[in-house]
Amino acid sequence: MTEIKLKENERIDQLYSQDIKIIQSDDVFSFSLDAVLLANFVKINQSAKNKIVDLCSGNGAVGLFVSNKTKGKITQVEIQPELADMAKRSVELNGLEQQINIINDDLSNTINYISKDSVDMVTVNPPYFPNQSNSKKNPNQHLAIARHEIKTDLHHVIKTASDLLKTGGKLYLVYRPDRLFELMSELNNNRLATKHIQFIYPKKDTEANMILVSAIKDGKNSGLIVDPPITVYDNGEYTKFMKKILYG
């Protein structure tokens, strides 16, 4: 294992099911279950020709977790320098420098690095909450940017994904159920046909608090599949499904 220098208040966590180590910090950013669920939702083959882009990549969790599913090249785009640096060091920590590349820039500038209509798959765990004047935001600016649409918004995320994807390319994202109609409208307006939706429930008999969505560029607007729901907790413990994707 490559020796990596940790900064103040950083730690190394592990997703045991993927044998991936990742640098985390409660002061800057730590991945949550949505990243694990999104990576598990992704379907991609092992071809080294695959070209993958992970937008709003944070500390690199989704790209790192997807890396075991393909030999294709993964580019991660993150606007916050501190998070991009954490992602870069986590890539080095796992010896994945030949597979994963980190871009520290606004996602709207991604086409300055990657040709339009050239990408096979885009993943994204975008900010969930609108940036409204009365929005209650985390006082930690790193966390506020990750959760609220301060530096980007749903429209720019979906437009960028569509610009990058080739015809037939796939988008995978995790989002909030209360914005599903808005999301599907943006997808449709950007040549992305919704193909799969999966609802995530914190526990039995509660409302869903996350959705996983896949879409295909220039696909037919028919054949939508609603996958079986996922429940995270049962009697205060992870369900069997969650234990499997977290611990193997």
Side-chain angles (χ1 to χ4, degrees), residues 117-132:
D117 307 313
S118 70
V119 172
D120 298 287
M121 186 178 85
V122 171
T123 58
V124 59
N125 182 359
Y128 292 157
F129 302 105
N131 183 26
Q132 298 171 343

Side-chain angles (χ1 to χ4, degrees), residues 70-85:
T70 181
K71 294 181 174 67
K73 294 290 193 294
I74 300 170
T75 299
Q76 300 194 279
V77 184
E78 171 54 45
I79 193 170
Q80 297 193 63
E82 295 85 356
L83 275 65
D85 176 65

Side-chain angles (χ1 to χ4, degrees), residues 30-203:
S30 296
F31 77 85
S32 52
L33 286 179
D34 47 7
V36 181
L37 288 162
L38 176 58
N40 181 74
F41 185 59
V42 164
K43 292 178 176 61
I44 191 167
N45 61 43
Q46 283 285 333
S47 173
K49 295 181 180 179
N50 285 326
K51 193 173 179 180
I52 302 145
V53 176
D54 178 38
L55 301 173
C56 305
S57 63
N59 66 342
V62 174
L64 287 163
F65 300 159
V66 167
S67 66
N68 283 336
K69 291 188 169 187
T70 181
K71 294 181 174 67
K73 294 290 193 294
I74 300 170
T75 299
Q76 300 194 279
V77 184
E78 171 54 45
I79 193 170
Q80 297 193 63
E82 295 85 356
L83 275 65
D85 176 65
M86 291 170 70
K88 182 175 183 295
R89 286 181 288 130
S90 287
V91 168
E92 295 169 357
L93 180 65
N94 291 279
L96 292 170
E97 299 96 321
Q98 300 304 309
Q99 185 181 12
I100 302 178
N101 175 50
I102 310 297
I103 295 174
N104 176 209
D105 203 345
D106 190 309
L107 65 83
S108 296
N109 297 326
T110 307
I111 56 172
N112 295 334
Y113 305 89
I114 301 169
S115 300
K116 291 182 69 173
D117 307 313
S118 70
V119 172
D120 298 287
M121 186 178 85
V122 171
T123 58
V124 59
N125 182 359
Y128 292 157
F129 302 105
N131 183 26
Q132 298 171 343
S133 58
N134 61 347
S135 298
K136 185 177 181 181
K137 302 180 184 68
N138 196 301
N140 183 318
Q141 187 69 1
H142 298 297
L143 301 179
I145 290 171
R147 295 171 184 172
H148 284 81
E149 295 177 328
I150 296 171
K151 297 290 187 178
T152 191
D153 58 28
L154 182 61
H155 170 74
H156 287 97
V157 167
I158 300 303
K159 183 181 185 305
T160 300
S162 180
D163 286 346
L164 292 168
L165 286 168
K166 60 177 64 170
T167 295
K170 295 181 179 179
L171 169 66
Y172 290 89
L173 78 159
V174 58
Y175 211 53
R176 288 182 57 84
D178 59 348
R179 299 187 71 182
L180 177 57
F181 288 153
E182 182 184 356
L183 170 61
M184 292 185 71
S185 176
E186 287 289 351
L187 292 170
N188 187 60
N189 291 339
N190 285 279
R191 299 165 55 192
L192 291 160
T194 306
K195 291 299 179 180
H196 283 262
I197 296 176
Q198 190 168 33
F199 291 88
I200 314 298
Y201 296 83
K203 55 186 179 180

